[in-house]
Amino acid sequence: MNTKQIQYALALSEIRNFSQVAEKLGISQPALSKQIQHLETELQVKLFDRNHNPLALTPAGEFFVRRARELVYQEEQLCK
């Protein structure tokens, strides 16, 4: 897991659309999908339910997003 993957997952959890997130982040949609898939593989859980439109977080995804937001906040506090 790396910082970019966390940022991508957080953006996806907010916007809930791969194409829109990719455009916002300035990357291709396949690259975004690949990064999210790598993250899910590493964590051994699905974070997003791709069968919903818009995209939905799984229970594991909701937990991940809460913790990721805490981590980003703590990182920001350390940099002050």
Side-chain angles (χ1 to χ4, degrees):
M1 178 182 344
N2 61 50
T3 304
K4 278 189 179 182
Q5 289 171 325
I6 293 170
Q7 291 170 342
Y8 293 170
L10 288 175
L12 194 55
S13 76
E14 294 170 13
I15 297 173
R16 298 184 185 228
N17 181 289
F18 275 94
S19 298
Q20 291 175 8
V21 171
E23 184 176 330
K24 177 183 176 185
L25 297 173
I27 62 172
S28 70
Q29 187 273 327
L32 174 61
S33 293
K34 185 177 266 192
Q35 288 298 314
I36 296 298
Q37 287 173 344
H38 283 135
L39 179 60
E40 290 176 325
T41 298
E42 184 177 342
L43 296 173
Q44 298 180 348
V45 296
K46 288 290 183 193
L47 300 174
F48 298 95
D49 182 350
R50 292 157 176 83
N51 294 321
H52 284 84
N53 191 11
L55 203 63
L57 285 165
T58 64
E62 290 176 9
F63 178 81
F64 176 84
V65 166
R66 276 194 311 272
R67 295 305 210 131
R69 285 186 180 135
E70 291 172 10
L71 181 63
V72 168
Y73 175 78
Q74 290 173 353
E75 181 181 30
E76 290 170 355
Q77 295 304 304
L78 286 171
C79 293
K80 285 186 174 184

